[in-house]
Amino acid sequence: MRKTVLVLMLAGLIAGLLTAGAAQAEAPQPSTITLGDNGWSWPAGTWDPATRTAVLTQDLKATIRIAGNGITLDGNGYKTVGNGAGDGVYLLGRTGVTIKNLKVKKFTNGIQVRLGGGNTLTGITAENNNIGICVINSTGNTVADNVADNNSYQGILVQGAAGNSVTGNSACGNIFGIWLAGSGENTLAGNTASGNGGCGFWLMGSANNTLAENTANGNIVFGMHLQGCNGNTLTGNTVNDNAGGIRAMGSQNNNFTNNTVVNSGTGIYLQGCGGHVISGNTLEGNKVYGINFLNAGGSTISGNTVSGNGCGLYFWNSSNNEVFNNNFIDNTVQARAGIGSGNVFDLPKPVGGNYWSGWTGPDADGDGFVDNPYVVDRPNRLFYGQDNLPWTTENGWLASTAVRYEFIGFLPPIDNDGGSTFKLGSTVPVKFQLVDADQNPVTDANTRLYLSKITDGVVGEETEAVSNGKAGDNFFRYAAEDEQYILNLVTRDLSEGTWRLRADIGDGTSRYVMITLRGR
């Protein structure tokens, strides 16, 4: 009997030890796992202290908090899945961290980078979160080749952040594909933001960003939308089959170049804007307008092909725009204007005006220009402009002898984004550089400066600038020592508020910038 009891006690002890060991080995995952200078806080994978590289070896249901700099987290194709709250991976104030090959699902934020900078996010799949990937108040990060699809709000959010590179990502099936808020000097290139419930790309209060070679197709609202954004460049983007193509509201001095907008509601739509360059775009088969200006002025429209749209070009309450060297082909209405003044549809020879299909002759003197002007359609039968030098052939200006200069940009103290403020009564140096096709300085251009007051978003009457106190002297002088043109603008007789500066750079084109004058 005693022996039997002993055996049973020993068996119980062994079973207890085994059970305890199993319980210890299978300890539940914590809700947050930290990856820091000494590796994992919970055995989620391997850690190489020499290379500071962690490799995930299992799926998780936890937030991964990065607690060190210069760490690489290789997800190794595994995933972490949340419960609809928190972050999948969280970097606070970290630098030099790389997150790659990881799947994150069902968090508020799939990946959140806040403060710090110089981190890399690549090869990540962030789906079914509220926001797929967000970069907040952080600089110099690289977000490349990720999939941020089917999130309930933004695929990728960049907020209050500068100098980041967002390239080669997919941000589809969200409400907003890629959203920039209060961010500047970022590059968004080669991304696809299609099939979103709102907009493919949304920029708000963001300046001096570059959006290049992106695709934004089949979005429910706009392919690309800018609101309160200045000095951005949108170039080489494909924006097709959206309710609206590219739209800018309350924005200044943006460049829209070499984009393709096909089969949307409107190709390029500017509202309450000014000082833009719209050049080299293809706007085709859009249901309502190819280019639509509403309360927008002081912009240059050149080198575009506008074909098969409901209305090729429409100006409403828009003034002082230049429209030249565009192809308007087989639009139901080629161009229409109502309310507004000072719009120009041609420049002096050899630049000329535009090509209008169906208006190609006569040309009795064989100079390449139709002998009769093309009058812009006007809904109320009032006259709002005409092209006095319509070309007889598509791209006729390419065979002309026109000399064009490359405008490097306005130089300090004036900011190209229109944010410069000066004291009323002061003298403001207006400076810029020009180079030729071989990148040699242009030293003999005939350049002049003009001013217009902007009131409630409407560009007023244009006047010649006053330089060095001399009325009628609005010519720039060339400063050989600095290889730049300069005019010292006298503001003594101007008034407080926003002014548009137009620099005629001497090749038949103009460049625009806004400045603000405040009281003495």
Side-chain angles (χ1 to χ4, degrees):
M1 181 68 178
R2 183 180 300 173
K3 184 175 181 181
T4 301
V5 171
L6 229 92
V7 169
L8 289 174
M9 289 177 62
L10 183 59
L13 179 60
I14 292 171
L17 289 172
L18 290 173
T19 302
Q24 183 175 358
E26 298 174 4
Q29 293 179 14
S31 59
T32 299
I33 298 172
T34 299
L35 178 58
D37 294 332
N38 295 315
W40 297 100
S41 65
W42 186 86
T46 63
W47 169 249
D48 183 345
T51 62
R52 296 178 66 79
T53 298
V55 179
L56 200 62
T57 57
Q58 59 184 295
D59 291 333
L60 301 176
K61 295 182 178 179
T63 293
I64 302 174
R65 184 176 70 90
I66 306 299
N69 298 323
I71 288 174
T72 295
L73 169 59
D74 184 349
N76 197 25
Y78 287 98
K79 64 180 179 288
T80 184
V81 180
N83 60 4
D87 301 296
V89 180
Y90 183 48
L91 286 72
L92 176 62
R94 296 299 159 201
T95 61
V97 171
T98 296
I99 310 294
K100 63 182 182 179
N101 305 327
L102 179 66
K103 300 174 183 177
V104 286
K105 296 184 177 183
K106 297 184 180 179
F107 291 93
T108 299
N109 304 300
I111 308 284
Q112 182 177 176
V113 178
R114 184 180 289 268
L115 303 175
N119 303 292
T120 298
L121 310 177
T122 186
I124 294 165
T125 298
E127 296 180 321
N128 304 120
N129 305 284
N130 187 13
I131 301 172
I133 297 171
C134 58
V135 177
I136 300 175
N137 299 329
S138 187
T139 60
N141 299 287
T142 297
V143 181
D145 302 319
N146 303 290
V147 175
D149 295 346
N150 302 315
N151 297 285
S152 60
Y153 199 45
Q154 295 117 332
I156 298 174
L157 168 66
V158 178
Q159 179 175 323
N164 298 285
S165 175
V166 181
T167 62
N169 302 285
S170 174
C172 303
N174 311 284
I175 298 299
F176 297 95
I178 298 179
W179 179 308
L180 264 68
S183 298
E185 306 290 347
N186 299 286
T187 298
L188 280 63
N191 303 288
T192 298
S194 299
N196 294 286
C199 299
F201 293 81
W202 180 290
L203 278 67
M204 178 177 290
S206 296
N208 301 319
N209 299 285
T210 297
L211 280 69
E213 305 294 336
N214 299 288
T215 299
N217 295 339
N219 296 287
I220 298 300
V221 187
F222 290 99
M224 295 182 167
H225 178 90
L226 284 70
Q227 186 166 342
C229 296
N230 301 330
N232 298 284
T233 296
L234 281 67
T235 185
N237 300 291
T238 300
V239 187
N240 298 337
D241 301 305
N242 304 282
I246 299 173
R247 184 190 193 192
M249 295 180 61
S251 301
Q252 306 292 332
N253 301 315
N254 297 290
N255 293 328
F256 304 92
T257 63
N258 302 318
N259 302 289
T260 298
V261 187
V262 174
N263 196 35
S264 296
T266 294
I268 296 178
Y269 177 22
L270 304 183
Q271 181 177 356
C273 295
H276 302 294
V277 173
I278 301 173
S279 179
N281 302 286
T282 298
L283 308 165
E284 180 180 338
N286 297 291
K287 300 175 184 63
V288 187
Y289 304 108
I291 301 173
N292 181 20
F293 275 35
L294 174 62
N295 302 321
S299 296
T300 299
I301 303 172
S302 67
N304 304 286
T305 296
V306 187
S307 63
N309 303 283
C311 179
L313 172 67
Y314 186 67
F315 285 162
W316 183 261
N317 197 29
S318 298
S319 300
N320 300 317
N321 299 289
E322 289 183 338
V323 184
F324 61 92
N325 291 178
N326 302 283
N327 295 305
F328 291 95
I329 303 170
D330 297 333
N331 300 286
T332 304
V333 176
Q334 299 280 48
R336 175 173 288 170
I339 308 179
S341 62
N343 295 305
V344 175
F345 294 88
D346 59 85
L347 296 178
K349 294 181 181 180
V351 177
N354 307 275
Y355 170 76
W356 310 89
S357 65
W359 196 266
T360 59
D363 179 16
D365 57 5
D367 65 353
F369 298 105
V370 180
D371 295 337
N372 302 315
Y374 182 88
V375 178
V376 174
D377 184 79
R378 60 275 192 201
N380 53 13
R381 313 314 300 170
L382 297 176
F383 177 75
Y384 289 112
Q386 66 183 29
D387 184 346
N388 297 296
L389 292 169
W391 287 89
T392 60
T393 58
E394 285 185 49
N395 297 313
W397 46 90
L398 298 182
S400 75
T401 58
V403 176
R404 297 291 173 84
Y405 305 137
E406 182 179 345
F407 180 76
I408 302 302
F410 291 98
L411 301 174
I414 291 178
D415 294 329
N416 286 278
D417 65 1
S420 301
T421 299
F422 301 98
K423 186 176 181 180
L424 181 64
S426 65
T427 298
V428 179
V430 183
K431 299 181 288 185
F432 60 83
Q433 293 177 310
L434 299 175
V435 297
D436 61 20
D438 296 321
Q439 300 299 300
N440 298 313
V442 175
T443 63
D444 58 353
N446 185 20
T447 57
R448 306 180 70 175
L449 185 65
Y450 300 86
L451 306 174
S452 301
K453 180 73 177 291
I454 297 179
T455 305
D456 296 329
V458 177
V459 181
E461 181 180 356
E462 188 173 78
T463 60
E464 293 183 353
V466 174
S467 173
N468 295 319
K470 299 178 182 178
D473 181 11
N474 68 332
F475 288 91
F476 288 84
R477 66 176 177 84
Y478 184 72
E481 64 276 12
D482 297 316
E483 297 183 344
Q484 65 188 23
Y485 291 84
I486 182 169
L487 181 149
N488 290 313
L489 173 63
V490 175
T491 67
R492 178 181 59 246
D493 297 325
L494 303 180
S495 58
E496 289 186 64
T498 301
W499 289 81
R500 186 193 73 172
L501 310 186
R502 178 173 74 88
D504 179 343
I505 66 174
D507 65 351
T509 65
S510 297
R511 296 295 183 267
Y512 300 84
V513 71
M514 309 295 184
I515 66 170
T516 300
L517 297 178
R518 56 178 174 80
R520 295 183 175 88

